[in-house]
Amino acid sequence: MEGYEKLEKARERIIETIAQNIHLYGLVPSAGRQYGMMFFQNEPLTLDDMTEKLGMSKTSMSTSVRALSDLKLVERAWKKGVRKDLYKVSDDWYQSFIDLFSIKWRRSVTLHLVAIKKSLAELEQLLADPTTSEELQEEVQIDIEKLKYIKNYYEWLERLVDVFEDQKIFDLVPIMNDSDNNLKD
Amino acid sequence: MEGYEKLEKARERIIETIAQNIHLYGLVPSAGRQYGMMFFQNEPLTLDDMTEKLGMSKTSMSTSVRALSDLKLVERAWKKGVRKDLYKVSDDWYQSFIDLFSIKWRRSVTLHLVAIKKSLAELEQLLADPTTSEELQEEVQIDIEKLKYIKNYYEWLERLVDVFEDQKIFDLVPIMNDSDNNLKD
DNA sequence: TAGTTTGTACAGTAAAAACTGTATAAAAAA
DNA sequence: TTTTTTATACAGTTTTTACTGTACAAACTA
C-alpha cells in the first residue's frame, strides 16, 4: 500500500469512530464525518470545500455545520481575501465537552426545575385545601415527596454543570499530557 | 377543577418535561413518557399495565422498557403471586446519571482509544519508513500530534468516567437535601 | 402430558428525519 | 446602480426510525 493511502486509512478510522459516536452529542453520523474530516484539515474550510470533500449537498453542509457550531464543536475562522464563510474545529476538546454540558444539560435542568416548582406549588396548595379528601391528600403527599427528591437531584445536576463550567472539574480530574503535547501550539 | 384532575395535571407536566428531555439519554419521547408514567406509580407495572396506561402496543412497551432497562433507568421487580414481568423506575436518580456515563461514555471512550492507538501505531511506522517522502513525513507528523492530543483527551474522559463510577464526584459536588427527604425511605 | 399465558422476533406500515435541488435574500464586486 | 457570489429557506424526495399486529417460542399451569 502506498504511503498517502496509509495516511488516509489511518484518518478514516478515526473519522468513522467519531461518526459512530457523535450521537452522544445529539448529532447524526454524517455531521460526525464532517467534523472528523475537518479535524484533519490544517486549514479552515468553506461550505464548498466540504461539499466537495464529502460529496454532499451544500444545503446539508450548511445545516450540519450550524448544528456543529451550536454545540461549539466548530467555529468560524477568517482568512484574508476569502469571502466565503470559513469553519474550523474548535481545538480545545476539553472545552467542547464542557460546552456540551453547559448547552444541553443546563437547558434540561432549567426546564425540569421550572416544571417541578410549578407542580410542587400546585400540590402544596391542593394539600392545604380543606375540600381535599383524606385519600387524595395521601396521594398528593406521596407525589410531593417524589418531586422534592427530583428537585434535589436537578439542583445537584445544576451544581455539577457549574463545576464543569467554571473548570473546577479539572481539580478532581486533571488534564495529564503524557508528552508535552497540545494542539494549541 | 376537581382535585384528582389537579393532581393529574401536575403529574402530566413533569412527565412531559421528562419526555422532552430524554433525548439526552438517547431515547425517544415515548420512552420518556413511559418512564415518567412509571415514576408516579407506586407499584411495579407489567407490560399490559403500560399498554393500558399509554395506549400503545405491547410490543412497543416491551422494546422501550428494554431500552430503559439497558440504561438502568428502570429495573425488574418482583411481587409474589404475579407471574408477569414487573418493572419499576430505579429510585436512585444520581446513580442513574452515573450509569448513563458508565454505559454510554465509557463505551465511546474505549472505541475511540482503540482506533486512535491503531492509527497512531500505523503512522509511527509510516514515519519511520525510509521510503516515505519528506513531504509525507511532515503530514504524518502533524497527524501524530493531533492523535496524541485526542488520545490524552479520551484518557481524561476515561478518568472522568472513573470518578463518576466510584462516586468520587460526590466529594466535589455533594448531594444536598434541603429537607431530609429520600425516595429510598 | 396438553393447554395457557407471556414476552419478543419479525414483517409490514406509519411517521419522522435526513438530505437534495431550486429559489431567493443578503452581501460583495464591478 | 447592476451583476455576481454566497448562504440558507423551503418544498419535495429518500432514507431511517418508531410503532403495530401477527406469529411463535419459552415458561408456567393443570
PDB file of all heavy atoms in Angstrom, chain A residues 10-11 13 39 42 93 119 122 143 145-146 156 159 173-174 181, chain B residues 10-11 13 39 42 93 119 122 143 145-146 149 156 159 173-174 181:
ATOM      1  N   ALA A  10      -5.548   5.625   8.026  1.00  0.00           N
ATOM      2  CA  ALA A  10      -5.425   5.921   9.470  1.00  0.00           C
ATOM      3  C   ALA A  10      -6.402   7.028   9.864  1.00  0.00           C
ATOM      4  O   ALA A  10      -7.008   6.989  10.935  1.00  0.00           O
ATOM      5  CB  ALA A  10      -3.987   6.325   9.795  1.00  0.00           C
ATOM      6  N   ARG A  11      -6.557   7.997   8.973  1.00  0.00           N
ATOM      7  CA  ARG A  11      -7.505   9.080   9.242  1.00  0.00           C
ATOM      8  C   ARG A  11      -8.941   8.576   9.212  1.00  0.00           C
ATOM      9  O   ARG A  11      -9.741   8.889  10.088  1.00  0.00           O
ATOM     10  CB  ARG A  11      -7.360  10.176   8.176  1.00  0.00           C
ATOM     11  CG  ARG A  11      -6.126  11.036   8.347  1.00  0.00           C
ATOM     12  CD  ARG A  11      -6.026  12.046   7.212  1.00  0.00           C
ATOM     13  NE  ARG A  11      -4.948  13.001   7.439  1.00  0.00           N
ATOM     14  CZ  ARG A  11      -4.610  13.952   6.587  1.00  0.00           C
ATOM     15  NH1 ARG A  11      -5.264  14.084   5.445  1.00  0.00           N
ATOM     16  NH2 ARG A  11      -3.624  14.793   6.870  1.00  0.00           N
ATOM     17  N   ARG A  13     -10.182   5.772   9.848  1.00  0.00           N
ATOM     18  CA  ARG A  13     -10.553   5.005  11.040  1.00  0.00           C
ATOM     19  C   ARG A  13     -11.038   5.936  12.148  1.00  0.00           C
ATOM     20  O   ARG A  13     -12.048   5.682  12.802  1.00  0.00           O
ATOM     21  CB  ARG A  13      -9.373   4.175  11.530  1.00  0.00           C
ATOM     22  CG  ARG A  13      -9.725   3.322  12.747  1.00  0.00           C
ATOM     23  CD  ARG A  13      -8.537   2.499  13.240  1.00  0.00           C
ATOM     24  NE  ARG A  13      -8.075   1.574  12.227  1.00  0.00           N
ATOM     25  CZ  ARG A  13      -6.911   1.661  11.611  1.00  0.00           C
ATOM     26  NH1 ARG A  13      -6.072   2.649  11.904  1.00  0.00           N
ATOM     27  NH2 ARG A  13      -6.579   0.781  10.691  1.00  0.00           N
ATOM     28  N   PHE A  39     -11.333  17.934  11.111  1.00  0.00           N
ATOM     29  CA  PHE A  39     -10.277  17.787  12.120  1.00  0.00           C
ATOM     30  C   PHE A  39      -8.913  17.557  11.484  1.00  0.00           C
ATOM     31  O   PHE A  39      -7.893  18.044  11.975  1.00  0.00           O
ATOM     32  CB  PHE A  39     -10.630  16.631  13.063  1.00  0.00           C
ATOM     33  CG  PHE A  39      -9.568  16.306  14.063  1.00  0.00           C
ATOM     34  CD1 PHE A  39      -9.232  17.211  15.063  1.00  0.00           C
ATOM     35  CD2 PHE A  39      -8.897  15.091  14.016  1.00  0.00           C
ATOM     36  CE1 PHE A  39      -8.253  16.919  16.003  1.00  0.00           C
ATOM     37  CE2 PHE A  39      -7.912  14.790  14.953  1.00  0.00           C
ATOM     38  CZ  PHE A  39      -7.593  15.699  15.941  1.00  0.00           C
ATOM     39  N   ASN A  42      -5.753  21.091   7.840  1.00  0.00           N
ATOM     40  CA  ASN A  42      -4.959  22.054   8.593  1.00  0.00           C
ATOM     41  C   ASN A  42      -5.335  23.491   8.275  1.00  0.00           C
ATOM     42  O   ASN A  42      -4.742  24.421   8.796  1.00  0.00           O
ATOM     43  CB  ASN A  42      -3.472  21.791   8.337  1.00  0.00           C
ATOM     44  CG  ASN A  42      -3.103  20.371   8.748  1.00  0.00           C
ATOM     45  OD1 ASN A  42      -3.460  19.914   9.835  1.00  0.00           O
ATOM     46  ND2 ASN A  42      -2.437  19.651   7.863  1.00  0.00           N
ATOM     47  N   TRP A  93     -10.676  20.318  22.951  1.00  0.00           N
ATOM     48  CA  TRP A  93     -11.722  19.298  23.084  1.00  0.00           C
ATOM     49  C   TRP A  93     -12.281  19.218  24.501  1.00  0.00           C
ATOM     50  O   TRP A  93     -13.435  18.851  24.703  1.00  0.00           O
ATOM     51  CB  TRP A  93     -11.180  17.923  22.634  1.00  0.00           C
ATOM     52  CG  TRP A  93     -11.095  17.799  21.149  1.00  0.00           C
ATOM     53  CD1 TRP A  93     -10.804  18.784  20.240  1.00  0.00           C
ATOM     54  CD2 TRP A  93     -11.317  16.617  20.368  1.00  0.00           C
ATOM     55  NE1 TRP A  93     -10.825  18.291  18.967  1.00  0.00           N
ATOM     56  CE2 TRP A  93     -11.135  16.962  19.011  1.00  0.00           C
ATOM     57  CE3 TRP A  93     -11.652  15.300  20.689  1.00  0.00           C
ATOM     58  CZ2 TRP A  93     -11.276  16.038  17.975  1.00  0.00           C
ATOM     59  CZ3 TRP A  93     -11.779  14.374  19.657  1.00  0.00           C
ATOM     60  CH2 TRP A  93     -11.602  14.746  18.311  1.00  0.00           C
ATOM     61  N   SER A 119     -45.377  22.395  39.612  1.00  0.00           N
ATOM     62  CA  SER A 119     -46.216  21.282  40.080  1.00  0.00           C
ATOM     63  C   SER A 119     -46.199  21.180  41.602  1.00  0.00           C
ATOM     64  O   SER A 119     -47.224  20.904  42.232  1.00  0.00           O
ATOM     65  CB  SER A 119     -45.744  19.970  39.454  1.00  0.00           C
ATOM     66  OG  SER A 119     -46.107  19.917  38.089  1.00  0.00           O
ATOM     67  N   GLU A 122     -48.520  23.707  43.056  1.00  0.00           N
ATOM     68  CA  GLU A 122     -49.913  23.287  42.883  1.00  0.00           C
ATOM     69  C   GLU A 122     -50.303  22.210  43.885  1.00  0.00           C
ATOM     70  O   GLU A 122     -51.399  22.240  44.451  1.00  0.00           O
ATOM     71  CB  GLU A 122     -50.125  22.759  41.464  1.00  0.00           C
ATOM     72  CG  GLU A 122     -50.130  23.850  40.397  1.00  0.00           C
ATOM     73  CD  GLU A 122     -50.199  23.281  38.980  1.00  0.00           C
ATOM     74  OE1 GLU A 122     -50.362  22.051  38.833  1.00  0.00           O
ATOM     75  OE2 GLU A 122     -50.080  24.071  38.029  1.00  0.00           O
ATOM     76  N   ASP A 143     -46.654  12.285  46.130  1.00  0.00           N
ATOM     77  CA  ASP A 143     -46.104  12.976  44.964  1.00  0.00           C
ATOM     78  C   ASP A 143     -45.208  14.141  45.372  1.00  0.00           C
ATOM     79  O   ASP A 143     -44.175  14.394  44.743  1.00  0.00           O
ATOM     80  CB  ASP A 143     -47.232  13.480  44.051  1.00  0.00           C
ATOM     81  CG  ASP A 143     -47.727  12.387  43.123  1.00  0.00           C
ATOM     82  OD1 ASP A 143     -47.547  11.207  43.457  1.00  0.00           O
ATOM     83  OD2 ASP A 143     -48.285  12.710  42.056  1.00  0.00           O
ATOM     84  N   GLU A 145     -43.369  14.347  47.974  1.00  0.00           N
ATOM     85  CA  GLU A 145     -42.077  13.772  48.365  1.00  0.00           C
ATOM     86  C   GLU A 145     -41.246  13.427  47.135  1.00  0.00           C
ATOM     87  O   GLU A 145     -40.057  13.692  47.072  1.00  0.00           O
ATOM     88  CB  GLU A 145     -42.282  12.521  49.235  1.00  0.00           C
ATOM     89  CG  GLU A 145     -42.876  12.800  50.616  1.00  0.00           C
ATOM     90  CD  GLU A 145     -42.109  13.865  51.386  1.00  0.00           C
ATOM     91  OE1 GLU A 145     -40.862  13.792  51.407  1.00  0.00           O
ATOM     92  OE2 GLU A 145     -42.752  14.777  51.954  1.00  0.00           O
ATOM     93  N   LYS A 146     -41.895  12.837  46.162  1.00  0.00           N
ATOM     94  CA  LYS A 146     -41.185  12.471  44.929  1.00  0.00           C
ATOM     95  C   LYS A 146     -40.625  13.705  44.235  1.00  0.00           C
ATOM     96  O   LYS A 146     -39.481  13.712  43.776  1.00  0.00           O
ATOM     97  CB  LYS A 146     -42.130  11.732  43.974  1.00  0.00           C
ATOM     98  CG  LYS A 146     -42.458  10.322  44.412  1.00  0.00           C
ATOM     99  CD  LYS A 146     -43.312   9.604  43.386  1.00  0.00           C
ATOM    100  CE  LYS A 146     -43.615   8.179  43.846  1.00  0.00           C
ATOM    101  NZ  LYS A 146     -44.394   7.405  42.875  1.00  0.00           N
ATOM    102  N   TRP A 156     -28.668  19.285  42.177  1.00  0.00           N
ATOM    103  CA  TRP A 156     -27.330  18.684  42.181  1.00  0.00           C
ATOM    104  C   TRP A 156     -26.729  18.732  40.767  1.00  0.00           C
ATOM    105  O   TRP A 156     -25.583  19.113  40.578  1.00  0.00           O
ATOM    106  CB  TRP A 156     -27.421  17.229  42.659  1.00  0.00           C
ATOM    107  CG  TRP A 156     -26.116  16.472  42.555  1.00  0.00           C
ATOM    108  CD1 TRP A 156     -25.064  16.534  43.422  1.00  0.00           C
ATOM    109  CD2 TRP A 156     -25.719  15.583  41.500  1.00  0.00           C
ATOM    110  NE1 TRP A 156     -24.040  15.725  42.974  1.00  0.00           N
ATOM    111  CE2 TRP A 156     -24.419  15.132  41.802  1.00  0.00           C
ATOM    112  CE3 TRP A 156     -26.339  15.102  40.338  1.00  0.00           C
ATOM    113  CZ2 TRP A 156     -23.723  14.231  40.982  1.00  0.00           C
ATOM    114  CZ3 TRP A 156     -25.651  14.215  39.518  1.00  0.00           C
ATOM    115  CH2 TRP A 156     -24.354  13.785  39.843  1.00  0.00           C
ATOM    116  N   ARG A 159     -25.480  22.079  39.974  1.00  0.00           N
ATOM    117  CA  ARG A 159     -24.166  22.348  40.575  1.00  0.00           C
ATOM    118  C   ARG A 159     -23.072  21.591  39.823  1.00  0.00           C
ATOM    119  O   ARG A 159     -21.953  22.085  39.673  1.00  0.00           O
ATOM    120  CB  ARG A 159     -24.158  21.947  42.058  1.00  0.00           C
ATOM    121  CG  ARG A 159     -25.077  22.791  42.920  1.00  0.00           C
ATOM    122  CD  ARG A 159     -24.753  22.666  44.410  1.00  0.00           C
ATOM    123  NE  ARG A 159     -24.752  21.297  44.907  1.00  0.00           N
ATOM    124  CZ  ARG A 159     -25.839  20.606  45.248  1.00  0.00           C
ATOM    125  NH1 ARG A 159     -27.032  21.165  45.160  1.00  0.00           N
ATOM    126  NH2 ARG A 159     -25.743  19.368  45.669  1.00  0.00           N
ATOM    127  N   VAL A 173     -10.253  15.928  38.252  1.00  0.00           N
ATOM    128  CA  VAL A 173      -9.767  15.108  37.137  1.00  0.00           C
ATOM    129  C   VAL A 173      -8.829  15.960  36.297  1.00  0.00           C
ATOM    130  O   VAL A 173      -9.246  16.593  35.325  1.00  0.00           O
ATOM    131  CB  VAL A 173     -10.929  14.590  36.269  1.00  0.00           C
ATOM    132  CG1 VAL A 173     -10.438  13.580  35.249  1.00  0.00           C
ATOM    133  CG2 VAL A 173     -12.031  13.985  37.124  1.00  0.00           C
ATOM    134  N   PRO A 174      -7.575  15.998  36.680  1.00  0.00           N
ATOM    135  CA  PRO A 174      -6.648  16.896  35.985  1.00  0.00           C
ATOM    136  C   PRO A 174      -6.307  16.410  34.577  1.00  0.00           C
ATOM    137  O   PRO A 174      -6.344  15.204  34.298  1.00  0.00           O
ATOM    138  CB  PRO A 174      -5.411  16.898  36.870  1.00  0.00           C
ATOM    139  CG  PRO A 174      -5.510  15.686  37.704  1.00  0.00           C
ATOM    140  CD  PRO A 174      -6.937  15.285  37.782  1.00  0.00           C
ATOM    141  N   ASN A 181       2.300  18.037  24.840  1.00  0.00           N
ATOM    142  CA  ASN A 181       1.683  17.959  23.527  1.00  0.00           C
ATOM    143  C   ASN A 181       0.349  18.675  23.572  1.00  0.00           C
ATOM    144  O   ASN A 181      -0.520  18.401  24.372  1.00  0.00           O
ATOM    145  CB  ASN A 181       1.488  16.454  23.199  1.00  0.00           C
ATOM    146  CG  ASN A 181       0.431  16.219  22.162  1.00  0.00           C
ATOM    147  OD1 ASN A 181      -0.718  16.026  22.526  1.00  0.00           O
ATOM    148  ND2 ASN A 181       0.808  16.255  20.910  1.00  0.00           N
TER     149      ASN A 181
ATOM    150  N   ALA B  10     -50.603  18.136  37.425  1.00  0.00           N
ATOM    151  CA  ALA B  10     -49.265  18.362  38.000  1.00  0.00           C
ATOM    152  C   ALA B  10     -48.306  17.249  37.581  1.00  0.00           C
ATOM    153  O   ALA B  10     -47.134  17.499  37.280  1.00  0.00           O
ATOM    154  CB  ALA B  10     -49.357  18.434  39.519  1.00  0.00           C
ATOM    155  N   ARG B  11     -48.842  16.031  37.540  1.00  0.00           N
ATOM    156  CA  ARG B  11     -48.009  14.905  37.096  1.00  0.00           C
ATOM    157  C   ARG B  11     -47.677  15.021  35.617  1.00  0.00           C
ATOM    158  O   ARG B  11     -46.526  14.822  35.211  1.00  0.00           O
ATOM    159  CB  ARG B  11     -48.762  13.586  37.317  1.00  0.00           C
ATOM    160  CG  ARG B  11     -48.835  13.154  38.755  1.00  0.00           C
ATOM    161  CD  ARG B  11     -49.656  11.885  38.875  1.00  0.00           C
ATOM    162  NE  ARG B  11     -49.579  11.341  40.228  1.00  0.00           N
ATOM    163  CZ  ARG B  11     -50.242  10.260  40.634  1.00  0.00           C
ATOM    164  NH1 ARG B  11     -51.012   9.597  39.794  1.00  0.00           N
ATOM    165  NH2 ARG B  11     -50.120   9.814  41.873  1.00  0.00           N
ATOM    166  N   ARG B  13     -47.335  17.491  33.735  1.00  0.00           N
ATOM    167  CA  ARG B  13     -46.302  18.494  33.442  1.00  0.00           C
ATOM    168  C   ARG B  13     -44.913  17.892  33.582  1.00  0.00           C
ATOM    169  O   ARG B  13     -44.039  18.102  32.744  1.00  0.00           O
ATOM    170  CB  ARG B  13     -46.456  19.698  34.373  1.00  0.00           C
ATOM    171  CG  ARG B  13     -45.437  20.795  34.075  1.00  0.00           C
ATOM    172  CD  ARG B  13     -45.584  21.990  34.999  1.00  0.00           C
ATOM    173  NE  ARG B  13     -46.887  22.614  34.860  1.00  0.00           N
ATOM    174  CZ  ARG B  13     -47.842  22.604  35.780  1.00  0.00           C
ATOM    175  NH1 ARG B  13     -47.622  21.998  36.943  1.00  0.00           N
ATOM    176  NH2 ARG B  13     -48.988  23.196  35.568  1.00  0.00           N
ATOM    177  N   PHE B  39     -42.868   6.518  36.984  1.00  0.00           N
ATOM    178  CA  PHE B  39     -42.345   7.242  38.151  1.00  0.00           C
ATOM    179  C   PHE B  39     -43.447   7.568  39.163  1.00  0.00           C
ATOM    180  O   PHE B  39     -43.233   7.535  40.373  1.00  0.00           O
ATOM    181  CB  PHE B  39     -41.660   8.525  37.684  1.00  0.00           C
ATOM    182  CG  PHE B  39     -41.183   9.402  38.802  1.00  0.00           C
ATOM    183  CD1 PHE B  39     -40.163   8.994  39.656  1.00  0.00           C
ATOM    184  CD2 PHE B  39     -41.751  10.658  39.005  1.00  0.00           C
ATOM    185  CE1 PHE B  39     -39.718   9.814  40.692  1.00  0.00           C
ATOM    186  CE2 PHE B  39     -41.313  11.480  40.038  1.00  0.00           C
ATOM    187  CZ  PHE B  39     -40.300  11.056  40.883  1.00  0.00           C
ATOM    188  N   ASN B  42     -46.976   3.889  42.270  1.00  0.00           N
ATOM    189  CA  ASN B  42     -46.331   3.445  43.496  1.00  0.00           C
ATOM    190  C   ASN B  42     -46.156   1.931  43.538  1.00  0.00           C
ATOM    191  O   ASN B  42     -45.664   1.392  44.509  1.00  0.00           O
ATOM    192  CB  ASN B  42     -47.125   3.951  44.692  1.00  0.00           C
ATOM    193  CG  ASN B  42     -47.228   5.471  44.662  1.00  0.00           C
ATOM    194  OD1 ASN B  42     -46.239   6.170  44.452  1.00  0.00           O
ATOM    195  ND2 ASN B  42     -48.439   5.986  44.820  1.00  0.00           N
ATOM    196  N   TRP B  93     -31.771   8.410  41.373  1.00  0.00           N
ATOM    197  CA  TRP B  93     -31.537   9.137  40.121  1.00  0.00           C
ATOM    198  C   TRP B  93     -30.077   9.546  39.951  1.00  0.00           C
ATOM    199  O   TRP B  93     -29.580   9.680  38.839  1.00  0.00           O
ATOM    200  CB  TRP B  93     -32.457  10.374  40.037  1.00  0.00           C
ATOM    201  CG  TRP B  93     -33.880  10.012  39.700  1.00  0.00           C
ATOM    202  CD1 TRP B  93     -34.547   8.875  40.047  1.00  0.00           C
ATOM    203  CD2 TRP B  93     -34.801  10.783  38.918  1.00  0.00           C
ATOM    204  NE1 TRP B  93     -35.827   8.895  39.533  1.00  0.00           N
ATOM    205  CE2 TRP B  93     -35.999  10.057  38.855  1.00  0.00           C
ATOM    206  CE3 TRP B  93     -34.721  12.033  38.279  1.00  0.00           C
ATOM    207  CZ2 TRP B  93     -37.121  10.526  38.169  1.00  0.00           C
ATOM    208  CZ3 TRP B  93     -35.834  12.509  37.602  1.00  0.00           C
ATOM    209  CH2 TRP B  93     -37.020  11.752  37.549  1.00  0.00           C
ATOM    210  N   SER B 119      -4.319   3.698  14.750  1.00  0.00           N
ATOM    211  CA  SER B 119      -3.876   4.670  13.744  1.00  0.00           C
ATOM    212  C   SER B 119      -2.521   5.259  14.108  1.00  0.00           C
ATOM    213  O   SER B 119      -1.659   5.456  13.250  1.00  0.00           O
ATOM    214  CB  SER B 119      -4.912   5.784  13.576  1.00  0.00           C
ATOM    215  OG  SER B 119      -6.050   5.283  12.886  1.00  0.00           O
ATOM    216  N   GLU B 122       0.196   2.880  13.201  1.00  0.00           N
ATOM    217  CA  GLU B 122       0.425   2.868  11.753  1.00  0.00           C
ATOM    218  C   GLU B 122       1.211   4.090  11.296  1.00  0.00           C
ATOM    219  O   GLU B 122       2.093   3.997  10.453  1.00  0.00           O
ATOM    220  CB  GLU B 122      -0.927   2.823  11.017  1.00  0.00           C
ATOM    221  CG  GLU B 122      -1.631   1.485  11.112  1.00  0.00           C
ATOM    222  CD  GLU B 122      -3.024   1.516  10.494  1.00  0.00           C
ATOM    223  OE1 GLU B 122      -3.392   2.569   9.922  1.00  0.00           O
ATOM    224  OE2 GLU B 122      -3.738   0.506  10.596  1.00  0.00           O
ATOM    225  N   ASP B 143      -0.358  14.758  11.904  1.00  0.00           N
ATOM    226  CA  ASP B 143      -1.453  13.877  12.340  1.00  0.00           C
ATOM    227  C   ASP B 143      -1.110  13.169  13.641  1.00  0.00           C
ATOM    228  O   ASP B 143      -1.967  12.977  14.502  1.00  0.00           O
ATOM    229  CB  ASP B 143      -1.777  12.847  11.253  1.00  0.00           C
ATOM    230  CG  ASP B 143      -2.706  13.422  10.193  1.00  0.00           C
ATOM    231  OD1 ASP B 143      -2.739  14.665  10.066  1.00  0.00           O
ATOM    232  OD2 ASP B 143      -3.410  12.644   9.524  1.00  0.00           O
ATOM    233  N   GLU B 145       0.678  14.290  16.036  1.00  0.00           N
ATOM    234  CA  GLU B 145       0.463  15.263  17.121  1.00  0.00           C
ATOM    235  C   GLU B 145      -1.025  15.375  17.457  1.00  0.00           C
ATOM    236  O   GLU B 145      -1.412  15.402  18.620  1.00  0.00           O
ATOM    237  CB  GLU B 145       1.022  16.638  16.742  1.00  0.00           C
ATOM    238  CG  GLU B 145       2.537  16.697  16.629  1.00  0.00           C
ATOM    239  CD  GLU B 145       3.243  16.158  17.872  1.00  0.00           C
ATOM    240  OE1 GLU B 145       2.831  16.537  18.998  1.00  0.00           O
ATOM    241  OE2 GLU B 145       4.192  15.348  17.727  1.00  0.00           O
ATOM    242  N   LYS B 146      -1.825  15.430  16.413  1.00  0.00           N
ATOM    243  CA  LYS B 146      -3.275  15.525  16.626  1.00  0.00           C
ATOM    244  C   LYS B 146      -3.799  14.303  17.373  1.00  0.00           C
ATOM    245  O   LYS B 146      -4.599  14.417  18.303  1.00  0.00           O
ATOM    246  CB  LYS B 146      -3.998  15.664  15.281  1.00  0.00           C
ATOM    247  CG  LYS B 146      -3.818  17.017  14.627  1.00  0.00           C
ATOM    248  CD  LYS B 146      -4.651  17.146  13.353  1.00  0.00           C
ATOM    249  CE  LYS B 146      -4.444  18.525  12.725  1.00  0.00           C
ATOM    250  NZ  LYS B 146      -5.251  18.715  11.520  1.00  0.00           N
ATOM    251  N   TYR B 149      -2.915  14.296  20.959  1.00  0.00           N
ATOM    252  CA  TYR B 149      -3.777  15.226  21.704  1.00  0.00           C
ATOM    253  C   TYR B 149      -5.121  14.588  22.040  1.00  0.00           C
ATOM    254  O   TYR B 149      -5.560  14.628  23.193  1.00  0.00           O
ATOM    255  CB  TYR B 149      -3.996  16.516  20.898  1.00  0.00           C
ATOM    256  CG  TYR B 149      -4.978  17.463  21.547  1.00  0.00           C
ATOM    257  CD1 TYR B 149      -4.599  18.300  22.583  1.00  0.00           C
ATOM    258  CD2 TYR B 149      -6.303  17.504  21.125  1.00  0.00           C
ATOM    259  CE1 TYR B 149      -5.501  19.155  23.190  1.00  0.00           C
ATOM    260  CE2 TYR B 149      -7.219  18.361  21.719  1.00  0.00           C
ATOM    261  CZ  TYR B 149      -6.811  19.183  22.754  1.00  0.00           C
ATOM    262  OH  TYR B 149      -7.712  20.020  23.341  1.00  0.00           O
ATOM    263  N   TRP B 156      -8.434  11.384  29.555  1.00  0.00           N
ATOM    264  CA  TRP B 156      -9.032  12.260  30.574  1.00  0.00           C
ATOM    265  C   TRP B 156     -10.505  11.895  30.783  1.00  0.00           C
ATOM    266  O   TRP B 156     -10.975  11.755  31.910  1.00  0.00           O
ATOM    267  CB  TRP B 156      -8.916  13.729  30.142  1.00  0.00           C
ATOM    268  CG  TRP B 156      -9.631  14.683  31.056  1.00  0.00           C
ATOM    269  CD1 TRP B 156      -9.186  15.166  32.253  1.00  0.00           C
ATOM    270  CD2 TRP B 156     -10.931  15.255  30.853  1.00  0.00           C
ATOM    271  NE1 TRP B 156     -10.132  16.002  32.810  1.00  0.00           N
ATOM    272  CE2 TRP B 156     -11.209  16.075  31.973  1.00  0.00           C
ATOM    273  CE3 TRP B 156     -11.893  15.158  29.835  1.00  0.00           C
ATOM    274  CZ2 TRP B 156     -12.408  16.782  32.103  1.00  0.00           C
ATOM    275  CZ3 TRP B 156     -13.080  15.865  29.969  1.00  0.00           C
ATOM    276  CH2 TRP B 156     -13.327  16.667  31.094  1.00  0.00           C
ATOM    277  N   ARG B 159     -10.853   8.867  32.827  1.00  0.00           N
ATOM    278  CA  ARG B 159     -10.685   9.148  34.265  1.00  0.00           C
ATOM    279  C   ARG B 159     -11.928   9.842  34.813  1.00  0.00           C
ATOM    280  O   ARG B 159     -12.327   9.628  35.959  1.00  0.00           O
ATOM    281  CB  ARG B 159      -9.437  10.012  34.501  1.00  0.00           C
ATOM    282  CG  ARG B 159      -8.123   9.314  34.168  1.00  0.00           C
ATOM    283  CD  ARG B 159      -6.927   9.994  34.819  1.00  0.00           C
ATOM    284  NE  ARG B 159      -6.795  11.396  34.490  1.00  0.00           N
ATOM    285  CZ  ARG B 159      -6.277  11.881  33.359  1.00  0.00           C
ATOM    286  NH1 ARG B 159      -5.809  11.053  32.439  1.00  0.00           N
ATOM    287  NH2 ARG B 159      -6.215  13.172  33.154  1.00  0.00           N
ATOM    288  N   VAL B 173     -19.070  17.559  44.222  1.00  0.00           N
ATOM    289  CA  VAL B 173     -20.447  18.067  44.110  1.00  0.00           C
ATOM    290  C   VAL B 173     -21.322  17.227  45.028  1.00  0.00           C
ATOM    291  O   VAL B 173     -21.916  16.243  44.612  1.00  0.00           O
ATOM    292  CB  VAL B 173     -20.950  17.968  42.661  1.00  0.00           C
ATOM    293  CG1 VAL B 173     -22.296  18.674  42.511  1.00  0.00           C
ATOM    294  CG2 VAL B 173     -19.953  18.535  41.675  1.00  0.00           C
ATOM    295  N   PRO B 174     -21.402  17.620  46.278  1.00  0.00           N
ATOM    296  CA  PRO B 174     -22.125  16.785  47.232  1.00  0.00           C
ATOM    297  C   PRO B 174     -23.635  16.853  47.028  1.00  0.00           C
ATOM    298  O   PRO B 174     -24.175  17.842  46.538  1.00  0.00           O
ATOM    299  CB  PRO B 174     -21.740  17.367  48.589  1.00  0.00           C
ATOM    300  CG  PRO B 174     -21.248  18.731  48.311  1.00  0.00           C
ATOM    301  CD  PRO B 174     -20.783  18.787  46.896  1.00  0.00           C
ATOM    302  N   ASN B 181     -35.018  14.140  52.931  1.00  0.00           N
ATOM    303  CA  ASN B 181     -36.013  13.623  52.009  1.00  0.00           C
ATOM    304  C   ASN B 181     -35.349  12.662  51.058  1.00  0.00           C
ATOM    305  O   ASN B 181     -34.395  12.991  50.381  1.00  0.00           O
ATOM    306  CB  ASN B 181     -36.598  14.843  51.260  1.00  0.00           C
ATOM    307  CG  ASN B 181     -37.248  14.459  49.952  1.00  0.00           C
ATOM    308  OD1 ASN B 181     -36.572  14.509  48.930  1.00  0.00           O
ATOM    309  ND2 ASN B 181     -38.508  14.114  49.980  1.00  0.00           N
TER     310      ASN B 181
END
